[in-house]
Amino acid sequence: MTYNQQIEAISKLKAANGSGWNGIDEEAAARMQLQNQFRTGLDIARYTAKIMREDMAAYDADPAAYTQSLGCWHGFIGQQKMISIKKHFGNTKRKYLYLSGWMVAALRSEFGPLPDQSMHEKTSVPALIEELYTFLRQADSRELNLLFRDLDGARDAGDEGKEKEALGKIENFQTHVVPIIADIDAGFGNAEATYLLAKKMIEAGACALQIENQVSDEKQCGHQDGKVTVPHEDFLAKVRACRYAFLELGVEDGIIVTRTDSLGAGLTKQIAVSNEPGDLGDQYNSFLDCEEIDPDTAKNGDVIINRNGKMMRPKRLASGLFQFREGTGADRCVMDCIASLDNGADLLWIETEKPHVEQIASMVDRIREVHPTAKLVYNNSPSFNWTLNFRQQVYDAMVEGGLDVSEYERGDLMNEKYDDTELAEQADKRIRTFQADASKRAGIFHHLITLPTYHTAALSTDNLAKEYFGDAGMLGYVLNVQREEIRQGIACVKHQNMSGSDIGDDHKEYFSGEAALKAGGKHNTMNQFG
């Protein structure tokens, strides 16, 4: 429906309701409707799921068409990110948001800062999804409000060209609302608990849920030690629970991202149920670290499994956990991913200990032998030391190529003395192209950074505190913050406008006409910023 058609529809509705609606301005009501395109979180989930499905198909056709996101821990952070993307790139195509369980635990729990171990309130996850979309919808409302004011200004000036231009921008307005890939951790309990939380997350607007194969009550951050996985049937029950939640709520295009932590997980809490040789349970158990025993000499409390006719005792720790054989992580990851895709997963996530294209590709190649269009979501994690990792990769390539590396010490490559070397330059080139290279070679559809805005908030606050509380005083803020906001065109330099002051003024005028007491008059200090 065009802008004028929207006004006409309101006009007909107004006429049908008689004189009691005489105080309603058709164009004002149409503007308010346009500023609120998404009425519910489910509207958002259906809209963004369709975008993700289209992007996945585009990636299948061309791996250069990968997607990206940054993790955001507050609605304002997500809003400013999308405003910046529209400013710099003109549109939000293939740009998403990521909701990190790590950041919810560290920054959004009522218990205070927590480690990423699923100890935070699970309701804080859908609450953050709702908050993110509230701020993105407000960004829509703000930008359209500015366009409406441009339209009014052109009309008042009798400038038909500018009026037509403003109308064109309104008609072709692109929303700030984009897909969110949301972290549901290990499901926060059994499959029913996972289903209930999934529903809340979808109702808040999430079109993509990321779930991992760790034990819920022993869940660890993907880059911490002590990770414990569950047998496939336990995990797949939760995957199905997420799908049922999507279907119940009418989000048929909903996306499930299944994450395997098997590469770094050496433990399992239980032995899988196996009904016949070669089934999923048998495959899972085949990786257990076992020793053959004589049943007659078995000890009290021993757990014994039959493996190819032999009685085997899995190694069990004092904690009751069972141990996998060392060096089996990659094989278990491949098995996990194939099982997930066999049972309804849409995208995969393999948590690795370093960003290495060939390591990832070595697993994806095997997965694609069974599922040729398998695609990954990949964590470009701040837990990796990117500088050191890539300098070491270049160092190793130089050694393999027979080059002289005598001036370098592999374990000390983070040292600033190497910053201007050829090795460092080559490493930075690899970091720059990592996402494109990995998407082409290793099947990565979506690149995300889990915790970037956690780190940027800390860094920028440290820099400001050092200057403001030091010799620079107020210049520390003016020089490094406000002056840069003005010169770089950062929208929130007009913080009153960003918070909705102008929108509120227009609403006051809609509701009260000339009697409206507005905040944006000539004495508003925001006018100092043009």
Side-chain angles (χ1 to χ4, degrees):
M1 190 181 294
T2 67
Y3 182 70
N4 288 326
Q5 287 172 337
Q6 195 96 8
I7 296 170
E8 181 61 27
I10 297 291
S11 181
K12 290 179 180 178
L13 183 62
K14 176 180 172 181
N17 282 275
S19 60
W21 281 37
N22 284 349
I24 301 298
D25 180 88
E26 297 92 329
E27 188 165 15
R31 289 179 175 185
M32 293 176 74
Q33 285 186 344
L34 287 170
Q35 287 173 295
N36 189 23
Q37 177 184 346
F38 301 98
R39 306 294 194 268
T40 70
L42 287 177
D43 291 336
I44 292 171
R46 295 185 188 106
Y47 169 78
T48 53
K50 184 174 182 290
I51 290 174
M52 274 196 74
R53 292 287 177 180
E54 291 171 350
D55 287 347
M56 289 161 67
Y59 173 82
D60 287 340
D62 179 5
Y66 59 88
T67 58
Q68 299 168 290
S69 67
L70 297 174
C72 298
W73 53 273
H74 191 279
F76 178 73
I77 300 295
Q79 178 197 64
Q80 293 305 301
K81 176 187 134 180
M82 298 317 301
I83 288 174
S84 295
I85 286 171
K86 285 190 71 174
K87 179 182 78 171
H88 292 297
F89 304 104
N91 61 67
T92 60
K93 190 172 184 178
R94 300 198 297 273
K95 309 294 192 294
Y96 303 168
L97 294 182
Y98 178 66
L99 185 150
S100 161
W102 193 102
M103 286 208 284
V104 173
L107 299 170
R108 303 301 300 255
S109 172
E110 292 184 9
F111 294 112
L114 293 172
D116 182 21
Q117 297 171 356
S118 289
M119 295 188 290
H120 55 282
E121 313 86 349
K122 60 185 178 182
T123 52
S124 59
V125 181
L128 179 53
I129 296 169
E130 183 176 6
E131 177 181 293
L132 284 162
Y133 279 128
T134 296
F135 273 79
L136 294 185
R137 290 163 64 205
Q138 194 264 0
D140 281 0
S141 185
R142 172 190 165 274
E143 189 172 320
L144 281 165
N145 178 262
L146 295 174
L147 294 176
F148 295 151
R149 289 181 170 220
D150 288 344
L151 177 62
D152 291 340
R155 286 173 175 171
D156 291 343
D159 190 328
E160 293 185 3
K162 286 190 176 180
E163 180 180 353
K164 185 177 179 180
E165 180 183 352
L167 274 172
K169 289 180 179 179
I170 293 167
E171 299 286 5
N172 295 298
F173 177 78
Q174 184 191 41
T175 179
H176 295 81
V177 169
V178 296
I180 288 179
I181 298 176
D183 187 357
I184 197 171
D185 277 20
F188 287 88
N190 62 16
E192 176 70 7
T194 301
Y195 154 77
L196 292 171
L197 178 55
K199 277 185 63 177
K200 286 292 185 184
M201 293 169 71
I202 297 163
E203 288 170 338
C207 72
L209 304 179
Q210 168 225 323
I211 187 165
E212 61 201 62
N213 68 338
Q214 291 193 52
V215 176
S216 289
D217 58 349
E218 299 284 355
K219 182 259 192 284
Q220 297 278 17
C221 170
H223 295 282
Q224 291 179 327
D225 204 356
K227 293 189 290 183
V228 182
T229 63
V230 297
H232 294 91
E233 284 304 331
D234 293 38
F235 179 61
L236 295 174
K238 295 183 179 183
V239 173
R240 287 189 286 271
C242 291
R243 182 64 66 202
Y244 275 110
F246 275 124
L247 292 173
E248 178 182 339
L249 296 172
V251 186
E252 296 176 4
D253 284 338
I255 288 128
I256 299 174
V257 183
T258 54
R259 171 176 142 179
T260 173
D261 280 277
S262 289
L263 196 62
L267 303 169
T268 182
K269 193 166 187 178
Q270 65 199 73
I271 295 173
V273 174
S274 173
N275 296 311
E276 59 184 51
D279 63 13
L280 268 179
D282 188 43
Q283 292 178 59
Y284 188 80
N285 294 339
S286 72
F287 293 108
L288 292 171
D289 192 356
C290 300
E291 59 182 347
E292 186 176 357
I293 66 164
D294 181 344
D296 293 334
T297 60
K299 301 175 184 176
N300 184 58
D302 271 353
V303 174
I304 302 172
I305 63 174
N306 182 342
R307 180 180 291 172
N308 300 322
K310 297 179 180 179
M311 296 299 102
M312 309 293 290
R313 177 169 54 206
K315 290 185 179 178
R316 185 166 56 175
L317 307 181
S319 61
L321 300 171
F322 296 95
Q323 187 170 296
F324 289 114
R325 298 194 313 276
E326 287 189 15
T328 62
D331 291 337
R332 286 183 282 126
C333 280
V334 171
M335 180 176 64
D336 295 342
C337 291
I338 292 173
S340 290
L341 292 173
D342 283 344
N343 288 273
D346 300 293
L347 295 168
L348 304 170
W349 175 318
I350 300 175
E351 193 77 337
T352 67
E353 82 289 358
K354 60 181 179 293
H356 194 292
V357 172
E358 286 305 318
Q359 180 198 31
I360 304 163
S362 67
M363 291 180 279
V364 173
D365 287 346
R366 295 168 61 190
I367 297 164
R368 284 184 162 180
E369 290 175 6
V370 181
H371 291 280
T373 61
K375 292 179 281 297
L376 295 189
V377 171
Y378 187 73
N379 177 9
N380 292 234
S381 177
S383 294
F384 303 145
N385 185 330
W386 286 77
T387 301
L388 180 60
N389 267 290
F390 277 85
R391 287 183 180 182
Q392 288 180 339
Q393 288 179 39
V394 173
Y395 178 94
D396 293 342
M398 292 172 67
V399 170
E400 187 177 343
L403 300 178
D404 180 12
V405 293
S406 58
E407 67 176 295
Y408 304 110
E409 183 180 341
R410 190 179 188 279
D412 190 40
L413 289 175
M414 189 69 193
N415 196 310
E416 290 183 14
K417 69 182 182 181
Y418 296 124
D419 284 357
D420 296 324
T421 63
E422 174 68 16
L423 182 147
E425 182 181 341
Q426 290 301 315
D428 283 353
K429 285 182 179 178
R430 290 193 183 199
I431 294 171
R432 180 188 298 275
T433 64
F434 172 78
Q435 294 187 343
D437 294 341
S439 291
K440 183 178 180 180
R441 172 69 185 94
I444 297 178
F445 159 74
H446 185 78
H447 286 275
L448 61 89
I449 308 179
T450 43
L451 323 176
T453 53
Y454 178 90
H455 292 279
T456 55
L459 179 62
S460 61
T461 302
D462 178 84
N463 290 338
L464 175 60
K466 178 179 65 175
E467 297 296 322
Y468 177 73
F469 294 104
D471 293 339
M474 193 58 198
L475 184 61
Y477 173 79
V478 173
L479 181 64
N480 298 313
V481 181
Q482 189 180 79
R483 194 174 296 172
E484 288 304 308
E485 283 183 304
I486 295 169
R487 291 179 175 174
Q488 294 183 40
I490 305 299
C492 72
V493 70
K494 296 184 178 182
H495 48 258
Q496 307 286 13
N497 169 270
M498 185 58 65
S499 69
S501 178
D502 288 344
I503 296 171
D505 273 359
D506 286 353
H507 287 176
K508 290 173 186 176
E509 190 170 359
Y510 298 163
F511 306 154
S512 303
E514 293 181 357
L517 181 63
K518 296 191 286 187
K522 65 180 180 179
H523 297 300
N524 188 317
T525 57
M526 188 171 66
N527 295 329
Q528 296 174 24
F529 299 99

